[in-house]
Amino acid sequence: MKRRRVVAYVTRVRDGRTELLVFEDPEHPYIGVQVPAGRLDAGEELEPGLLRELEEEAGLTNARIVQELPAFENHYPSRYENHGFHVVLEEEPPDEWEHVVVGQ
């Protein structure tokens, strides 16, 4: 059985344009631009795991899950069972911020 993983596509609308939250890991610049994602703990449900990953990876605690993206796994093959989600923030974050990852 594949380990489950969640991927968050966090968007906001500003000036009539939809923007996507992306980040670069300063300790691993060769990875490039990323969206928040992570593996679930054993027995962890998808949505609580997604919210935990958003807090750990980006420091975001005010997220609202819009929906799980249908057939995401078909477009994102890997060694994990991937689940993509569209997420919006209840409060608008600043344009840039630094966050120290607290998870593993």
Side-chain angles (χ1 to χ4, degrees):
M1 176 182 253
K2 290 183 173 183
R3 187 166 178 191
R4 296 188 308 162
R5 183 172 175 266
V6 289
V7 180
Y9 292 93
V10 182
T11 64
R12 72 175 177 190
V13 176
R14 177 179 280 176
D15 299 327
R17 296 178 46 187
T18 301
E19 299 177 334
L20 176 67
L21 171 69
V22 296
F23 69 93
E24 294 178 81
D25 183 346
E27 293 184 23
H28 304 98
Y30 56 88
I31 294 175
V33 176
Q34 305 175 60
V35 296
R39 295 180 301 262
L40 297 181
D41 295 330
E44 188 173 26
E45 296 295 323
L46 291 173
E47 291 188 4
L50 175 70
L51 296 175
R52 176 186 56 75
E53 284 293 339
L54 281 172
E55 184 172 0
E56 286 179 3
E57 290 207 354
L60 299 173
T61 59
N62 57 351
R64 178 176 58 84
I65 298 169
V66 176
Q67 69 175 3
E68 183 171 0
L69 302 173
F72 183 78
E73 178 74 10
N74 297 338
H75 303 287
Y76 200 98
S78 81
R79 63 183 175 149
Y80 300 105
E81 176 187 310
N82 291 292
H83 296 268
F85 289 86
H86 178 202
V87 178
V88 295
L89 301 178
E90 297 297 333
E91 298 172 14
E92 189 169 310
D95 288 337
E96 293 184 21
W97 69 95
E98 288 189 32
H99 175 70
V100 176
V101 176
V102 294
Q104 299 176 4

